[in-house]
Each structure stands twice: as structure tokens, then as C-alpha cells.
Amino acid sequence: MFTASHESIVWARTHKKSKHTFNYQAMKNGDWHEKDMIKKDAKQMRSVWSIPLTKKSEKRHGKHPTQKPEALLERIVLASTNPGDTILDPFCGSGTTGVVAVRRGRKFIGIDMDAHFLHDIAARRIDDELDILKTADTVDGAPTDADKFMADIKLEVSLARS
Ligand SMILES: C[S@@+](CC[C@H](N)C(=O)[O-])C[C@H]1O[C@@H](n2cnc3c(N)ncnc32)[C@H](O)[C@@H]1O
């Protein structure tokens, strides 16, 4: 047998008339150099991507058997959402979607049937990403993007509960 080395991604919508986001320019002109020999500069992103396996550093909080590379989710998130959007991953596993969502200014809701994946891996990875955002953006003690992000989320949660 050939070694499995591809994933098929289903891009679906609930109805023919449902609106969807496709960030054409970001796909065409983004910096996708990370070892992708298929993507050519200033040419539209093709439907076949070459992305390296999940990095060791992305597994620092433990292993998930089908953890996806952050580089893969970066493309999906940047192609199909805008900053401020809320992304739901109902099978979030090690939280790769959440890590990328936070990094790219999206809100994130993650669900998984396995509490270990959620608490020990996904939540820790997302916390790390929020810490990176905080240290990267602090200017003279002003609120950071991460602080604003958390404040927005807390407000939305309290509105939803009221
Ligand atoms: C393919 S993995 C997701 C991997 C994830 N994208 C990542 O990068 O780590 C699918 C996840 O869905 C979870 N899962 C499977 N069936 C589920 C269900 N019915 N409800 C909630 N979670 C489920 C599994 O525990 C597993 O962690």
C-alpha cells in the first residue's frame, strides 16, 4: 500500500443561497512559502496544498492521534473567515483550530467528547497563544489585543447568559 499522505477537506454550506466567505486576495498573495512547492507567488491558491507534518513543538502539551498541522488550519481559517468571526470546531481534539483562531483575531468555540484533549492539550495550547499575543502587543501598559479579545468574549458570554 502507498503511505497515506493526504487529507480531503469538505467545504460545505447549509443551503445553496447561504453566504460564505472566501478571501481570494489573501489566498493569492499571502505568504505561503512554508515548504509548499505547489503554491506559486501571486497565482491563485490551488485546491492541492503541500504542507509539512505537524511540528514537534505543536505537540508540547501531549499527543493527539490525528492532530493537524497549524499551517493547514492557517489556510482554512484565513480563506474562509474574517477577523472577529466566531469559529466553531465541534471535534476540536488538540485545539489546532482554536490556536490559529486566536492568533488570527477570531473567536473560538471548541467541543470534544474527550475531556483530556480539551483540558490538557487544547486549552493549554490556546492559553499559550494568548500569552504570546499579550507579550507581543504590550505598549506602555496599554490593553493588549489579547486583553480586548478576552473582554469581548466575557461580554458575549455574560450577554448570552442574561
Ligand atoms: C480528527 S480529531 C480532530 C483533530 C483536531 N483537528 C486537531 O488538530 O487536533 C476528531 C476529534 O473528534 C472527537 N470526537 C469524535 N466523535 C465525537 C463526538 N461525537 N462528539 C464530540 N467529539 C467527538 C475525538 O475525540 C477527536 O479528538
Side-chain angles (χ1 to χ4, degrees):
M1 287 260 285
F2 295 118
T3 301
S5 65
H6 79 279
E7 299 274 354
S8 300
I9 299 165
V10 176
W11 185 24
R13 54 184 169 168
T14 51
H15 189 271
K16 259 203 301 209
K17 289 186 182 163
S18 306
K19 284 188 182 167
H20 70 278
T21 298
F22 181 67
N23 292 319
Y24 184 92
Q25 289 302 332
M27 291 298 99
K28 182 174 175 183
N29 299 316
D31 182 10
W32 305 112
H33 66 280
E34 205 180 349
K35 290 188 190 157
D36 186 340
M37 73 282 265
I38 296 172
K39 174 71 177 80
K40 304 282 180 244
D41 283 347
K43 297 279 181 206
Q44 182 48 299
M45 181 76 74
R46 299 174 68 173
S47 60
V48 176
W49 306 342
S50 171
I51 290 179
L53 295 175
T54 307
K55 293 177 185 167
K56 242 184 172 172
S57 59
E58 295 171 20
K59 300 183 178 182
R60 65 195 172 284
H61 290 299
K63 289 187 180 162
H64 183 287
T66 57
Q67 182 169 339
K68 302 292 176 278
E70 290 176 15
L72 171 65
L73 269 301
E74 285 264 345
R75 282 197 201 189
I76 295 172
V77 164
L78 291 176
S80 57
T81 68
N82 292 312
D85 284 354
T86 300
I87 300 173
L88 168 69
D89 187 345
F91 305 97
C92 83
S94 67
T96 312
T97 313
V99 169
V100 173
V102 165
R103 185 180 300 156
R104 296 298 185 166
R106 278 72 167 164
K107 294 166 198 152
F108 178 67
I109 301 168
I111 300 170
D112 202 285
M113 70 196 302
D114 190 320
H116 162 62
F117 294 146
L118 276 181
H119 297 303
D120 301 331
I121 306 184
R124 289 180 185 171
R125 289 180 71 200
I126 293 168
D127 279 347
D128 286 353
E129 203 58 40
L130 285 167
D131 285 344
I132 292 169
L133 265 184
K134 274 191 177 171
T135 45
D137 296 341
T138 301
V139 182
D140 298 334
T144 63
D145 281 356
D147 291 331
K148 287 184 201 140
F149 181 78
M150 290 310 291
D152 281 353
I153 289 176
K154 282 179 189 159
L155 179 65
E156 280 187 29
V157 170
S158 68
L159 286 174
R161 283 183 177 153
S162 62

